[in-house]
Amino acid sequence: MMFLIADGGSTKTDWSIVSGNQEIDRIKTRGINPFFQTEEDISAEIRDNLVPKIKKYGSIEAVYFYGAGCAFPEKNEILRRSITHYLPVPVEVGSDLLAAARALLGRQAVWDGLWPACAGTACLVGLTVSLAVFPGVGCGLYLVEFASARRAARIRLAMDVLAGTPSIVMGLFGFTLILFLRRTFWPDANTSLLLAAACLALLVLPVLVTATCEALEAVPPSLRTTASVLGFTRRQAARHILLPAAAPGIRGGVILALGRAAEDTAVIMLTGVVANAGLPAGLGAKFEALSFSIFYTAAQYQSREELLRGFGAALVLLLLASGLLVCARLLEARFRRRWQGEA
């Protein structure tokens, strides 16, 4: 038995021909979105660009179409009629959020469509911190312990400039970078999860540098004196004594960076986030995020259910920020008790 499974969007639609559990072929057509297109436009696209390409595979038993604009019964019926006119088989139409939920946990919806945005936010935040934490902590350590006064002043000036850069400017930087790569070295370059994380990493880098500097400057001078007396080199003292002593402050900076990366919208809006992408498919793929989901829903909701989903996304993001703050406080309190010999 052969099935046709479609992942539809406003710019392109991917049609997978599946037999059993194996994908036989994949066909691309222009975007199909019943919310914006008429039945005639959809029928013409199916007739001209889909039907001729699937004739060689014989009969199709059923069609499953998941895509943008498929959250309303009347719109789904338009798409169903367009498909059955040329493919007289059972047709199921649903949103791509439903497809993502079914792919992950079977046939039950997850968090009423918020799971892809939650997963995308988690991937974005994790990748951002992975890219920023080592340069940020390393730069802060270098500024406090190793840099000359003149060089430290220059680096601090650069960090101040970077900290004052608006989010939208950083997003435009990432978008311009993609345009440059397309015209020079990489014609297939496109906005993606990796690009969004890299731009966010630049945005949160001053937070990590500042937090590391303040944490190291707050370390008691007696620790440096003790390390010197014991014969530690400056590098050994920094690695084995100063960084562990400054860990609470550095962790606080990491928590702040996590929160900033999770709530920012302007950067990711220009570097890879979309409203209906499903679960992240890789570093080079589009993704969803809670912050953009809130923005998109507030601007373009069409029903009470969509508005409630937006409120749900806002609640999840608020709980995430609160959870990060609580974790930072608990980690700091635990370290202080251990440092003071109470744990």
Side-chain angles (χ1 to χ4, degrees):
M1 295 177 65
M2 280 199 229
F3 301 93
L4 192 60
I5 303 176
D7 178 17
S10 297
T11 57
K12 68 179 181 68
T13 299
D14 294 320
W15 303 80
S16 295
I17 301 176
V18 179
S19 178
N21 293 324
Q22 299 293 325
E23 182 183 51
I24 299 177
D25 195 5
R26 178 169 295 191
I27 300 169
K28 291 184 181 292
T29 64
R30 284 178 293 187
I32 294 177
N33 188 332
F35 190 81
F36 297 108
Q37 292 174 290
T38 64
E39 186 172 345
E40 291 75 17
D41 293 336
I42 297 174
S43 297
E45 182 65 26
I46 293 173
R47 180 191 65 234
D48 298 337
N49 296 319
L50 176 64
V51 174
K53 297 178 182 179
I54 64 174
K55 283 184 177 179
K56 60 182 178 181
Y57 295 105
S59 61
I60 300 294
E61 300 295 333
V63 178
Y64 299 89
F65 189 101
Y66 301 100
C70 298
F72 309 97
E74 63 276 11
K75 301 297 183 182
N76 293 356
E77 187 59 31
I78 291 175
L79 183 55
R80 187 178 292 107
R81 286 198 303 266
S82 301
I83 296 175
T84 55
H85 183 75
Y86 297 100
L87 297 172
V89 297
V91 176
E92 179 178 332
V93 180
S95 68
D96 47 5
L97 299 179
L98 176 61
R102 287 181 173 178
L104 183 69
L105 293 176
R107 300 185 62 87
Q108 296 299 320
V110 181
W111 296 355
D112 197 23
L114 289 182
W115 171 242
C118 293
T121 298
C123 293
L124 177 67
V125 169
L127 186 58
T128 297
V129 173
S130 298
L131 293 174
V133 66
F134 292 108
V137 174
C139 183
L141 178 63
Y142 176 76
L143 282 175
V144 175
E145 298 297 328
F146 302 102
S148 63
R150 178 177 298 180
R151 184 169 296 179
R154 292 175 180 175
I155 296 176
R156 290 180 189 275
L157 177 62
M159 289 297 105
D160 290 340
V161 172
L162 193 58
T165 302
S167 299
I168 190 67
V169 174
M170 192 62 69
L172 287 171
F173 166 75
F175 188 73
T176 304
L177 177 62
I178 288 297
L179 295 180
F180 172 76
L181 291 175
R182 280 187 172 183
R183 292 179 177 272
T184 53
F185 311 107
W186 192 4
D188 297 329
N190 201 353
T191 55
S192 62
L193 175 63
L194 179 60
L195 176 66
C199 291
L200 279 176
L202 288 176
L203 201 64
V204 303
L205 189 63
V207 176
L208 293 170
V209 173
T210 301
T212 302
C213 289
E214 292 179 351
L216 289 171
E217 290 169 352
V219 171
S222 57
L223 289 180
R224 292 179 172 85
T225 303
T226 302
S228 178
V229 170
L230 292 174
F232 280 59
T233 64
R234 294 183 68 182
R235 291 186 178 181
Q236 290 173 333
R239 177 181 178 183
H240 297 289
I241 296 179
L242 298 182
L243 281 178
I250 296 174
R251 289 195 188 103
V254 173
I255 295 296
L256 290 176
L258 285 170
R260 178 67 188 276
E263 58 84 20
D264 198 283
T265 305
V267 173
I268 61 177
M269 187 166 55
L270 295 172
T271 53
V273 73
V274 293
N276 295 293
L279 296 174
L283 296 179
K286 305 288 187 181
F287 64 99
E288 297 182 37
L290 287 170
S291 57
F292 183 77
S293 178
I294 297 168
F295 167 79
Y296 181 82
T297 302
Q300 302 192 37
Y301 72 91
Q302 300 292 329
S303 65
R304 182 174 180 272
E305 288 73 18
E306 288 190 0
L307 183 60
L308 291 176
R309 184 179 301 170
F311 280 116
L315 178 60
V316 172
L317 191 58
L318 179 62
L319 291 175
L320 174 62
S322 302
L324 290 174
L325 180 60
V326 170
C327 288
R329 294 294 186 183
L330 291 176
L331 288 172
E332 182 178 0
R334 180 180 178 184
F335 186 86
R336 284 181 176 177
R337 288 196 302 269
R338 181 178 299 175
W339 182 257
Q340 295 170 359
E342 298 177 8

